[in-house]
Each structure stands twice: as structure tokens, then as C-alpha cells.
Amino acid sequence: MPTDEKVSASHIRRRFSAAMSDMYRREVPAYGVLMELVDDVNRETLEIDPDLRERLEATDTLARVSDERHGAIRLGKPDELAMMRRVFAVMGMAPVGYYDLSEAGVPVHATAFRPIDGDALRQNPFRVFTSLLRLDLIKDDELRRQASEILSERRIFTDRAVELIGQAERDGGLTDSDANAFVNEVLETFRWHRNAQVDVTMYHRFHDAHRLIADVVSFKGPHINHLTPRTLDIDKIQAHMPNRGITPKAFVEGPPPRRCPILLRQTSFKALEEEVLFRTPDGGFQRGSHTARFGEIEQRGIALTPKGRALYDELLAETRSRIRPAADGSNAKEYVSTLASVFERFPDDWSRLRSEGLGYFEYSLTPKGREHGGESLDDLESAISNGFVRFDPIVYEDFLPVSAAGIFQSNLGDGAQQDIEASPSQKRFETELGGPVLNEFEHYQKLEQRSIEAIQESSR
Ligand code: OOG
Ligand code: NI
């Protein structure tokens, strides 16, 4: 094999995802425990639910589940975001969706970098929720100036990483050995650094303005703050976590338990109180602590159409107007039962979700449809009722802003929510990113449409 042959972007992504998982397992032991629990529960779930197994096999997505995870980082300045876009591009990950978390009291906006086409997702669906701190939301002028000065001096990428990114862009990819070097260099950016770049007084001033500002500005880089495996039964995981010494947050974020899962359900736990070393005026260091990293678990369901999403948002808002989940978890039981009763209005079978246009589906020929040949399949509905065509839910590959805010809050501490003012600024985010984010609804729509066209073409 010639040595200048390039490996695929998906290959680099798979390697990076595995390397991150190894690093996180070493740094955060609870993550390893969670991975074992997830493996056990996924195996059991597939044993007792042959329909689910059949569906995952038919859509060729069974293999990816056990290897599936997402991570999250918080960046401090626009040039970090722009470079991160280039890093992820080398791994075949593009920015999808815009999340304005300021509406939920968290001073960041965000996107998710992830693979987008079906093949790449099947090979490895690794994604990273990437937020950018909104310094403009710091009200105190002096504090804002100090934060921006500290950030302006930091370099979160190694020189070699930047070189390899440029090389990959120029040459249209990386060779096997350069891909290895790239993964190792980029891993440095995500690693935890115990030495803070501020003193303890400054840390507390940032912390008092917003805990998230302290987490981003006080450290040398955007440490990966969680890595989330995908489970096929989140309620079982939530129930079993305490048996393995892990205490989850009080309730699962997102929709209630259902027969037909929609969107995304997530729960998290505090993983570590880190020992950190703050600077001292004499050039030395002083011990302190910081909670940066946590654990999370998620279950994914069908991607909803704008109509389905509007219904989801409406029912979630109605639930929250009746009962606001308390930060300390004290009313979690009532919240969960209110959520379940309000969501009774959301249809819970695949046929109705489809006929009411609430979710996106992938259509494919059944064995009977493949044999039948000749006849036109242009009338999709009769092809379905004749058993020639089947439909399967398209998995939601993205995130939910209200859930994300709940995850942020639960891990920043149980204190009262800190107030900041909201303002939507997708345009500015895209300028800083260096390109537009993909609209997730248009993308799911396209996937559905393509599956229909493929069937129709095959019958011509
Ligand atoms: C990101 C929180 C969002 C999710 O799964 O919704 C997130 C963060 O805490 O930095 O990861
Ligand atoms: Ni997450």
C-alpha cells in the first residue's frame, strides 16, 4: 500500500471517539462503571424486545449502538470555535443546529458537530455539543474585560495539531500515521488540566457572576466535560445507577417514557470534584477544588417534524407552567407524573405518528416488495398497505435546548438559577464559526424523501 494513501474521515472519527473514551475512563472512573451498566442493560433490552432488535437490524443500526456516544466542550472565544470547526471537519463532522442557551439562563450558545450522511452515521455517530461562552452577557464591565484578556492569551491547540489540520485541508485527508498523530494532538485540547490560569479570588469572582464563566475562563483548555453513551432503556439505567454507587439527577430530561420513543431522553450525575491548583501572587500554586466533569446517559427516539416538535414544545411548556422542576430535585415525583399526564396528548404508535406527520421515517422495500417487481410503487400508501414497503423511524441525532439547560444546571450545582438576559444571535454565532449551521429539520426531511425516491426508482 502506498504510504500517501488517505484514511477516511469516518475512520479518524472512530479512532478519536475511542481515544476520548479511553482517556475519559482513566480520568473519570464512574464513566467506566456506567459503560458496563449500559452494556448490560442494552443486552437485556434486546433479549426481551425482539421487535426492537429486528428494527435495529433492518435499518442496519444495531452495530453502532454499543459504540455510540457524545461529548461536550465549552469554548471561550470565537477563534477557538472557528478552529474547532476545522478540527471536526477532518473527522467528517459538521455543525448542525443552533442552540441559544441564554434563554434558559446559561450564558452560552452552541451547535452540535456530527456526521450527517447515513453511511457515516452507521460507521460511527460520534458527536460533540460545542458551546461558546457569551462574554457580552457578563454585566460587570471590569469583569468582562478581565475575562476577555485572560482568554485572549490562551492557546488551546498544539502547533502540531494546527499544522496537521492545514495539511488535511490541503491534501484532502490524512495518511494512516498522520491520522494517528492528529488524534493524539487533538486529544491534548480535550484533556483535563489541573493547573488553573487564575488565582482563587479571580476564580470566585467569575464563579459568582456565573459558574460557567469560571469553568471556561479559569482553565487552559476546554476539558471534555462529559461523554455520554446511548442506552436502549434509560429508565432501567436510572433505576440501577444507585446499585453501582452512582447517584443520578432527580429525573430524566425530555419526554416521558413511551412505547414509541421520541427525540431524546437524558439523565446525568455528578462525577468528580476535582482538585485544582490556583495561582498565587508569588508565582506558586494553592490547592482548591472545582466541579467540571460529570456523567450522562441518553436514549434516542424518532426525529420529529416541525409539527411534531411544536407539539413537543407545547406539551413541555404546559408541564413546566404547572410545575417547575426544583434544582434540588424535591418535586421530581410530581414533575414526572405531570409530564406523563400532559404527554398523553402525543400519539404513541408509529402509524399515527406517521399519518399525522409528526415524525420522520425511512421507507424501504420488504422482501415481498423486492420480489414483486414490475408494478409501480409510486402510490406509497397502497404499497405500504400491500406489504411491499415498510417504514422505520429516523433516529433523532441532535439535542434539545431545554434538556441541555437542565443538564448544565444540574452539574453546575443545586443553588438558585443565576439570571442572565436572553438575546438570539445565530447570525453572529455563524460568523464566528466561519460558516452556517445545517438546519436539522431540512436534513431529516431530505433523508426521508431520498428513501422514498430510492424505492420508486427501484420499481421502474
Ligand atoms: C453541555 C450540555 C448539553 C446535552 O447532552 O444536552 C449536552 C455542557 O454541559 O457543556 O451535552
Ligand atoms: Ni450531553
Side-chain angles (χ1 to χ4, degrees), residues 74-76 105-108 133-140 143-148 150-151 154 197-198 202-219 223 290 408 412 418-420:
R74 304 157 181 174
L75 301 170
V106 182
V108 303
L133 181 63
R134 295 267 312 267
L135 280 182
D136 56 302
L137 295 176
I138 301 184
K139 289 183 198 119
D140 178 338
L143 198 63
R144 189 171 58 244
R145 197 189 53 73
Q146 282 167 319
S148 115
I150 294 168
L151 285 171
R154 80 173 187 185
Q197 32 172 32
V198 297
M202 188 58 117
Y203 172 84
H204 283 297
R205 288 186 58 212
F206 289 139
H207 200 275
D208 290 346
H210 198 290
R211 286 172 290 252
L212 206 109
I213 300 170
D215 183 55
V216 176
V217 182
S218 310
F219 298 95
H223 37 261
H290 175 67
F408 268 106
L412 290 170
Q418 286 161 297
D419 280 340
I420 53 151

Side-chain angles (χ1 to χ4, degrees), residues 32 66 73 85 91 104 123 131 151 156 166 172 208 277 283 364 368 413 440 453:
S66 59
I73 51 171
R85 180 179 62 79
M91 297 189 255
Q123 286 186 54
S131 331
L151 285 171
I156 64 170
D208 290 346
L277 298 172
S364 58
K368 188 174 159 192
E440 66 266 35
E453 285 162 10

Side-chain angles (χ1 to χ4, degrees), residues 70 72 74 129 225-226 266 294 296 399 404 408:
H70 83 251
R74 304 157 181 174
F129 191 90
N225 65 46
H226 64 285
Q266 300 177 309
F294 58 96
E296 187 193 40
F399 294 87
F408 268 106

Side-chain angles (χ1 to χ4, degrees), residues 32-87:
V33 177
L34 184 67
M35 294 285 282
E36 284 162 22
L37 178 57
V38 170
D39 270 354
D40 292 349
V41 168
N42 285 359
R43 206 171 328 105
E44 280 161 32
T45 307
L46 290 169
E47 270 163 28
I48 57 180
D49 191 346
D51 283 354
L52 176 66
R53 173 183 279 278
E54 191 272 333
R55 220 176 245 291
L56 290 173
E57 273 169 355
T59 50
D60 209 12
T61 51
L62 183 60
R64 76 171 230 193
V65 174
S66 59
D67 217 24
E68 178 156 354
R69 58 185 81 94
H70 83 251
I73 51 171
R74 304 157 181 174
L75 301 170
K77 51 180 174 172
D79 64 359
E80 293 174 354
L81 179 67
M83 184 60 82
M84 207 46 105
R85 180 179 62 79
R86 295 170 59 195
V87 168

